[in-house]
């Protein structure tokens, strides 16, 4: 047998054993229970969970997940939280537990308290999280309404956003303050933690994987949730038994995925060229400039400088705000820019692509824009809602979100192509044709929105140059 056949047989064994797993009546005690942070000592249990939660969320801790669990947590927040910050680059995020919040008047502290978790990018945005298992809420109104400083920093220093989350048991009352978004522990497990463990366990250190399973078990124990149908312990054992095969096929896929995050622009441009939609005008390590056959649609940049954000934007939709005649296709050093464009999220939406075989293509009002420009684009976009709806293909719709204004979904069908990645590019090609190449009406509307927003905010008249 070849090595590939050996791996295939072992994976088939893994699949059969996984399908046969059933819940068992007795399971080993969790670490929290062994060290008596259990239901008999509720406050200690809350402190235990709080500190472990902060540890997993903090990219600087040595758990080996970097910012991936934090990103999954932020991307999984309930819609009511209204969280709209970019989560690709989380290098500046600070995560702390038991952070002091104060109400200061004329430099004097009038009152104070400690919020369970704080996630923030200093001077940009913050998320305050209050964790509850048994005690009633007494602090959220103070945290949101009266607090003026977070760990000594004025709230007014945070220019992008302020977000509040109340994480509690399903049978407990909601937060006292209506601005706190309510999320149950069950919702957190279902929306974030369980899927995160299943999808990512092969990629992380064994100790971290075991700790994540323990974390989920302890939350279920404290909150009185019923045990999952599939026993966690047997799944861990199954993972360990087949570690070599899982690691090998995972590493192979990861290598191919990493390569794809850099070469998708060329693959897309070549496919579009072969279909007669235009031609490649220039190409570099991270960028492809593609000239569409219709001058009304113009030239487009396909940009792969990120392992997550796959950018597609028209030449002229990215400009330097200090000189709006300066058309960009990369971020200036001073970050003074204004841009709109389409994108697909390779890392953030990877589970949807691999598991659900679905590609989502977005039109985005970029989060790094000046807030005044973001607002102007949204206002002009809403004014043209009827015309936009008329121009959209059946796969796309307006979202109501201020950042990702449009979204469109396309099936990824590996059986119809050489491999998964070819199928991904084919889905991307369908989206580009629907929304860009074969849709000059939509592009003209978006051109007008960008031009008018620039005029409103920067008092400058610009025009879109014809393809050259």
């Amino acid at each position: 047998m070849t090595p590939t056949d050996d791996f295939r047989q072992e994976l088939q064994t893994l699949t059969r054993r996984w399908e046969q797993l059933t819940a068992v009546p007795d399971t080993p005690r969790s670490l929290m229970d062994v060290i008596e942070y259990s239901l008999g000592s509720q406050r200690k249990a809350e402190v235990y969970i709080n500190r472990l939660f902060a540890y997993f969320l903090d990219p600087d801790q040595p758990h080996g997940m970097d910012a991936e669990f934090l990103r999954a947590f932020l991307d999984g927040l309930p819609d009511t939280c209204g969280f709209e910050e970019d989560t690709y680059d989380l290098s500046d995020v600070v995560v702390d537990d038991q952070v002091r919040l104060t109400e200061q008047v004329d430099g004097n502290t009038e009152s104070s308290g400690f919020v369970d978790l704080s996630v923030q990018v200093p001077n940009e945005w913050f998320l305050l999280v209050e964790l509850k298992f048994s005690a009633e809420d007494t602090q959220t109104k103070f945290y949101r309404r009266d607090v003026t400083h977070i760990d000594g920093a004025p709230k007014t220093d945070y220019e992008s956003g302020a977000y509040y989350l109340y994480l509690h048991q399903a049978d407990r009352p909601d937060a006292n303050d209506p601005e706190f978004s309510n999320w149950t522990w069950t919702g957190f497990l279902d929306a974030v933690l369980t899927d995160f463990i299943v999808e990512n366990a092969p990629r992380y250190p064994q100790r971290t994987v075991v700790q994540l399973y323990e974390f989920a078990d302890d939350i279920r124990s404290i909150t009185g949730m019923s045990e999952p149908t599939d026993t966690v312990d047997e799944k861990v054992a199954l993972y360990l038994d087949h570690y070599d095969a899982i690691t090998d096929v995972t590493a192979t896929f990861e290598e191919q995925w990493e390569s794809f995050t850099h070469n998708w622009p060329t693959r897309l441009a070549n496919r579009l060229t072969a279909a007669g939609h235009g031609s490649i005008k220039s190409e570099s390590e991270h960028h492809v400039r593609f000239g569409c056959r219709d001058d009304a649609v113009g030239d487009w940049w396909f940009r792969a400088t990120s392992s997550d954000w796959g950018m597609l934007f028209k030449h002229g939709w990215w400009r330097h705000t200090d000189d709006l005649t300066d058309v960009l296709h990369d971020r200036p050093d001073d970050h003074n820019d204004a841009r709109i464009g389409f994108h697909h999220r390779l890392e953030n939406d990877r589970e949807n692509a691999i598991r659900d075989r679905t590609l989502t293509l977005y039109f985005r009002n970029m989060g790094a824009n000046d807030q005044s420009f973001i607002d102007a684009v949204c206002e002009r976009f809403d004014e043209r809602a009827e015309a936009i709806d008329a121009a959209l293909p059946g796969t796309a719709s307006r979202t109501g979100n201020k950042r990702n204004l449009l979204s469109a979904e396309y099936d990824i069908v590996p059986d119809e192509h050489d491999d998964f990645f070819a199928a991904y590019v084919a889905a991307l090609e369908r989206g580009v044709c629907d929304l860009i190449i074969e849709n000059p009406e939509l592009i003209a509307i978006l051109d007008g929105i960008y031009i008018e927003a620039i005029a409103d905010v920067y008092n400058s008249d610009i025009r879109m140059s014809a393809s050259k």
Side-chain angles (χ1 to χ4, degrees):
M1 297 178 67
T2 68
T4 300
D5 291 333
D6 290 339
F7 280 125
R8 183 177 292 110
Q9 183 173 352
E10 186 170 355
L11 290 171
Q12 288 172 346
T13 302
L14 168 66
T15 300
R16 287 195 298 270
R17 287 188 59 189
W18 179 80
E19 291 173 345
Q20 294 168 357
L21 284 178
T22 57
V24 293
D26 295 314
T27 57
R29 296 166 66 191
S30 72
L31 287 175
M32 184 185 72
D33 187 44
V34 170
I35 60 179
E36 297 183 353
Y37 285 131
S38 62
L39 293 174
S41 182
Q42 189 76 36
R43 178 56 186 157
K44 288 182 179 180
E46 292 179 3
V47 171
Y48 172 90
I49 292 294
N50 193 93
R51 291 179 179 173
L52 191 56
F53 206 169
Y55 169 78
F56 287 139
L57 290 174
D58 190 347
D60 293 332
Q61 293 294 338
H63 41 57
M65 298 184 292
D66 298 322
E68 292 185 35
F69 181 68
L70 172 61
R71 183 175 294 108
F73 172 70
L74 295 176
D75 290 341
L77 289 171
D79 292 341
T80 53
C81 196
F83 188 83
E84 294 185 344
E85 306 299 331
D86 284 332
T87 59
Y88 169 66
D89 184 3
L90 295 173
S91 58
D92 295 330
V93 165
V94 177
V95 178
D96 286 309
D97 66 313
Q98 294 301 306
V99 174
R100 189 166 186 249
L101 307 180
T102 56
E103 177 188 11
Q104 297 184 21
V105 179
D106 298 327
N108 298 316
T109 298
E110 299 290 326
S111 54
S112 65
F114 290 87
V115 71
D116 291 323
L117 283 174
S118 167
V119 181
Q120 59 172 298
V121 175
N123 301 319
E124 291 190 21
W125 58 266
F126 65 80
L127 168 66
L128 302 183
V129 185
E130 187 70 357
L131 311 179
K132 289 294 181 184
F133 291 102
S134 60
E136 299 297 329
D137 171 34
T138 59
Q139 292 284 70
T140 55
K141 282 186 177 179
F142 169 71
Y143 292 157
R144 203 271 308 172
R145 181 185 60 191
D146 301 325
V147 163
T148 60
H149 289 69
I150 300 173
D151 201 20
K155 264 189 181 181
T156 53
D157 286 356
Y158 297 85
E159 298 181 355
S160 180
Y163 308 96
Y164 303 88
L165 180 67
Y166 186 65
L167 195 49
H168 64 104
Q169 290 190 181
D171 60 349
R172 297 291 173 183
D174 291 345
N176 290 333
D177 187 275
E179 295 299 320
F180 265 77
S181 176
N182 293 285
W183 203 16
T184 65
W185 287 105
T186 303
F188 164 67
L189 285 178
D190 291 345
V192 177
L193 185 55
T194 302
D195 286 345
F196 183 84
I197 294 173
V198 172
E199 294 295 328
N200 296 286
R203 304 167 55 201
Y204 300 140
Q206 182 177 336
R207 175 175 291 182
T208 294
V209 173
V210 174
Q211 289 173 339
L212 286 169
Y213 277 114
E214 286 278 352
F215 185 46
D217 272 351
D218 291 336
I219 291 173
R220 293 188 184 98
S221 176
I222 297 173
T223 57
M225 296 182 199
S226 59
E227 289 295 321
T229 302
D230 299 323
T231 170
V232 169
D233 300 291
E234 291 226 22
K235 285 184 178 180
V236 172
L238 194 58
Y239 165 71
L240 296 176
D241 287 345
H242 297 272
Y243 178 80
D244 289 340
I246 293 172
T247 300
D248 183 81
V249 296
T250 301
T252 300
F253 181 83
E254 290 295 334
E255 289 174 3
Q256 294 300 308
W257 182 269
E258 173 66 20
S259 176
F260 182 68
T261 62
H262 298 295
N263 68 32
W264 70 262
T266 297
R267 296 182 66 163
L268 173 62
N270 286 337
R271 188 175 177 91
L272 291 170
T273 300
H277 294 303
S279 61
I280 297 173
K281 292 197 169 183
S282 66
E283 188 174 359
S284 64
E285 182 180 2
H286 300 296
H287 297 87
V288 171
R289 184 172 180 172
F290 184 81
C292 296
R293 64 189 179 193
D294 187 344
D295 286 345
V297 178
D299 287 0
W300 286 74
W301 291 96
F302 305 155
R303 181 172 183 259
T305 57
S306 163
S307 61
D308 185 15
W309 295 81
M311 306 302 301
L312 308 95
F313 54 94
K314 185 176 181 178
H315 185 74
W317 281 3
W318 193 349
R319 296 172 185 255
H320 201 294
T321 55
D322 293 342
D323 178 8
L324 288 158
T325 64
D326 186 8
V327 177
L328 306 172
H329 66 272
D330 210 345
R331 199 80 197 269
D333 292 338
D334 59 11
H335 289 192
N336 293 335
D337 52 0
R339 57 177 170 143
I340 59 174
F342 291 92
H343 72 275
H344 56 113
R345 298 289 300 274
L346 291 113
E347 188 61 38
N348 187 73
D349 291 351
R350 184 161 81 159
E351 181 178 334
N352 295 336
I354 297 173
R355 185 190 66 188
D356 302 332
R357 306 293 169 84
T358 300
L359 167 75
T360 304
L361 191 59
Y362 307 89
F363 173 74
R364 185 165 177 83
N365 184 6
M366 300 303 173
N369 292 335
D370 293 337
Q371 186 61 50
S372 56
F373 185 72
I374 292 173
D375 293 340
V377 169
C378 287
E379 183 178 349
R380 294 289 176 260
F381 186 89
D382 290 342
E383 290 173 354
R384 292 169 167 81
E386 186 174 343
I388 290 171
D389 287 343
L392 289 179
T395 55
S397 62
R398 289 182 293 113
T399 64
N401 187 293
K402 292 188 70 172
R403 303 290 176 84
N404 288 330
L405 298 167
L406 298 173
S407 68
E409 292 188 349
Y410 296 89
D411 292 335
I412 299 171
V413 190
D415 290 345
E416 297 180 1
H417 301 275
D418 291 340
D419 57 28
F420 169 82
F421 300 103
Y424 188 111
V425 174
L428 190 56
E429 179 198 16
R430 291 194 297 274
V432 170
C433 288
D434 279 354
L435 295 167
I436 298 171
I437 292 175
E438 297 173 358
N439 204 333
E441 295 85 2
L442 178 61
I443 301 307
I445 294 171
L446 300 179
D447 277 344
I449 290 171
Y450 185 77
I451 290 169
E452 291 182 21
I454 289 288
D456 290 345
V457 177
Y458 302 110
N459 195 30
S460 179
D461 293 329
I462 62 170
R463 64 184 183 88
M464 296 294 163
S465 60
S467 302
K468 295 181 180 179

